[in-house]
Amino acid sequence: MSILVFAEHDNKSLKADTLKTVAAAQAIGGDIHILVAGSNCSDVVNEAAKVNGVSKVLVADNAAYEHQLAENISLLVTELAADYDHILATALTTGKNFMPRVAALLDVAQISDIIGVESADTFVRPIYAGNAIATVQSLDSKKVITVRSTGFDAIATDGSAEVVALDSVQDAGTSAHVNDEVSESERPDLGAAGVVISGGRGMQNGENFALLDGIADKLGAAIGASRAAVDAGFVPNDMQVGQTGKIVAPDLYIAVGISGAIQHLAGMKDSKVIVAINKDPDAPIFQVADYGLVADLFDALPELESKL
């Protein structure tokens, strides 16, 4: 049995989520290969070759893959699929973009957001915004799977895999990259941070999010937000945590002024320790919090910062 894992990267470094996706592949069992598709991505290839449990790294280094456009990547992966029983990608922006195309081209049903592996054809995934967990069995000859990385622990990187360059170039010619608009921040990436502090509708406006800055700086934390805060225009949508935002599972998650709608809980309830600050004692967030503080956030935040 052979497994192809698509590497998440920015052409400079391998994203840590890929190590968790490989962990899922190891749980399935079989010969694991990693596909690195990008442009001038030799550093990523070197990192991928060190991932434990991987026997081969396939390298598609071409300008057509620089921005990992779904139209091009899906054709490449579909071409390679003939040699694999399972195709895995992390359930992040890139994987969610091209994997449904792969499933359609292969005429199989995609299995999305798995958080556990029962066997080579049976997987565990959340449904209904995480309110229920489904165990699903696939009878398709090829399994196309996206992995929720918060469900698996990263594996070590002291391996030594064979590196194989691919000659084939798949350029659909139907889309083109225009530009990237990325928020610049000195704080850790929201999806990979060990500590996250998020604000919700209770912050009242965007200016009040500055109350989180001092705490975030002292804790080395990333700053997130609920969908309510994003929809209200308090902060940009790349800060959104939840079912339709980023799925995070830091060591510490601090929810400030967040009531705890199920869509938000779906994006953070796997955090190791959850702290909630809300003046409503009946807020749903307290049902998942390890520590709850019923208080006005405008009193609690300055005091918390001073204590830190």
Side-chain angles (χ1 to χ4, degrees):
M1 189 160 58
S2 53
I3 302 171
L4 181 65
V5 175
F6 181 83
E8 283 276 350
H9 64 89
D10 58 1
N11 290 312
K12 298 175 184 176
S13 62
L14 187 70
K15 289 190 176 180
D17 297 273
T18 301
L19 303 180
K20 299 177 181 181
T21 303
V22 172
Q26 288 186 346
I28 295 170
D31 189 27
I32 302 172
H33 297 173
I34 288 183
L35 170 62
V36 177
S39 179
N40 297 318
C41 53
S42 58
D43 290 342
V44 179
V45 174
N46 293 336
E47 288 186 60
K50 296 178 182 178
V51 178
N52 274 14
V54 174
S55 63
K56 187 179 294 185
V57 177
L58 307 180
V59 183
D61 194 328
N62 189 278
Y65 306 128
E66 180 178 1
H67 301 289
Q68 299 174 23
L69 298 175
E71 293 80 0
N72 298 348
I73 295 294
S74 59
L75 293 177
L76 171 66
V77 173
T78 303
E79 181 185 40
L80 297 172
D83 298 327
Y84 297 95
D85 302 295
H86 296 74
I87 301 167
L88 273 62
T90 310
L92 295 174
T93 304
T94 303
K96 288 181 176 180
N97 200 17
F98 80 84
M99 285 291 270
R101 287 176 174 269
V102 173
L105 290 168
L106 295 175
D107 195 25
V108 300
Q110 176 175 305
I111 306 168
S112 304
D113 271 332
I114 69 166
I115 58 173
V117 176
E118 296 285 323
S119 68
D121 64 359
T122 306
F123 309 93
V124 180
R125 62 181 299 266
I127 58 174
Y128 305 133
N131 275 342
I133 302 297
T135 300
V136 296
Q137 183 178 34
S138 171
L139 302 180
D140 289 324
S141 58
K142 293 189 185 295
K143 314 293 191 287
V144 176
I145 301 167
T146 59
V147 178
R148 182 174 289 192
S149 57
T150 56
F152 299 87
D153 294 326
I155 59 174
T157 53
D158 53 4
S160 179
E162 176 189 1
V163 176
V164 178
L166 301 177
D167 296 326
S168 175
V169 177
Q170 296 285 355
D171 187 348
T174 54
S175 63
H177 176 265
V178 178
N179 67 295
D180 290 320
E181 294 184 12
V182 182
S183 298
E184 297 291 336
S185 174
E186 295 180 358
R187 294 197 173 91
D189 177 66
L190 182 57
V195 180
V196 174
I197 181 168
S198 292
R201 195 198 309 271
M203 300 299 294
Q204 297 184 3
N205 58 55
E207 289 73 21
N208 287 336
F209 265 77
L211 291 170
L212 305 180
D213 290 343
I215 296 171
D217 290 340
K218 291 185 177 184
L219 295 177
I223 295 181
S226 68
R227 178 171 181 172
V230 171
D231 286 350
F234 297 170
V235 292
N237 60 11
D238 60 354
M239 291 173 63
Q240 183 177 324
V241 172
Q243 184 182 20
T244 53
K246 290 185 171 67
I247 308 294
V248 302
D251 295 326
L252 172 62
Y253 187 88
I254 305 174
V256 182
I258 295 175
S259 61
I262 58 172
Q263 291 84 356
H264 186 76
L265 300 183
M268 46 64 73
K269 67 180 182 181
D270 290 328
S271 304
K272 303 295 187 296
V273 176
I274 300 172
V275 176
I277 302 174
N278 199 299
K279 64 181 180 181
D280 178 8
D282 297 320
I285 191 73
F286 289 124
Q287 296 176 14
V288 299
D290 298 286
Y291 299 92
L293 176 61
V294 179
D296 188 317
L297 66 88
F298 296 104
D299 297 327
L301 290 179
E303 184 176 357
L304 174 59
E305 184 178 348
S306 68
K307 298 293 185 186
L308 290 171

